Amino acid sequence: VVENAGDKKSAECRKASSKGAKAFLKVMNAPAAAQVYDMLMKQAQESTKWQVKVLALELLAGYVEIAPEFVARKMVVVVPAFSDLMWDSKKQVKEAAAKALTEACKCINNNDV
């Protein structure tokens, strides 16, 4: 579903992909989020389509609401990955990465960080 966010032929397909993925996120629980995490991180980091990267980052940012403990445990992976994406050539990806990193940081309970 996320990969279709970068469909070049159909704006309707891109919109439906985004809407469907976000609807799925709303009903996802923490164990399901853990199952999908690796796929979303791979798409955010490796997709050649900026729309796919943005959607994957938006979904990963949504993990803060459904699986904050999981995000907190993954911070050693999340911070470098999202930081790298903040240097992407597309403005939209940069902004989505910055927003996702800001959201992820809400899961840190250590006041020193």
Side-chain angles (χ1 to χ4, degrees):
V1 172
V2 176
E3 191 63 34
N4 289 328
D7 188 89
K8 294 193 181 280
K9 296 180 183 178
S10 172
E12 289 179 18
C13 182
R14 289 191 301 271
K15 288 179 187 175
S17 174
S18 178
K19 188 175 179 179
K22 290 175 182 176
F24 181 67
L25 181 70
K26 288 181 183 179
V27 298
M28 193 183 302
N29 59 20
Q35 295 296 316
V36 180
Y37 169 82
D38 288 332
M39 183 261 319
L40 287 175
M41 283 298 285
K42 183 175 181 174
Q43 287 181 313
Q45 292 176 299
E46 298 177 9
S47 180
T48 57
K49 301 173 184 173
W50 69 266
Q51 298 94 333
V52 173
K53 289 181 178 185
V54 169
L55 180 57
L57 286 163
E58 290 173 351
L59 295 173
L60 288 164
Y63 272 40
V64 173
E65 298 295 323
I66 58 171
E69 297 86 14
F70 178 78
V71 174
R73 286 192 311 269
K74 291 290 189 176
M75 287 301 281
V76 296
V77 176
V78 167
V79 171
F82 291 179
S83 296
D84 285 347
L85 288 164
M86 289 169 55
W87 291 96
D88 196 90
S89 61
K90 282 298 225 180
K91 177 183 175 185
Q92 296 90 331
V93 175
K94 291 178 184 183
E95 291 172 353
K99 183 177 177 185
L101 184 56
T102 301
E103 287 298 309
C105 288
K106 292 179 182 176
C107 295
I108 300 172
N109 293 326
N110 185 340
N111 291 335
D112 293 334
V113 179

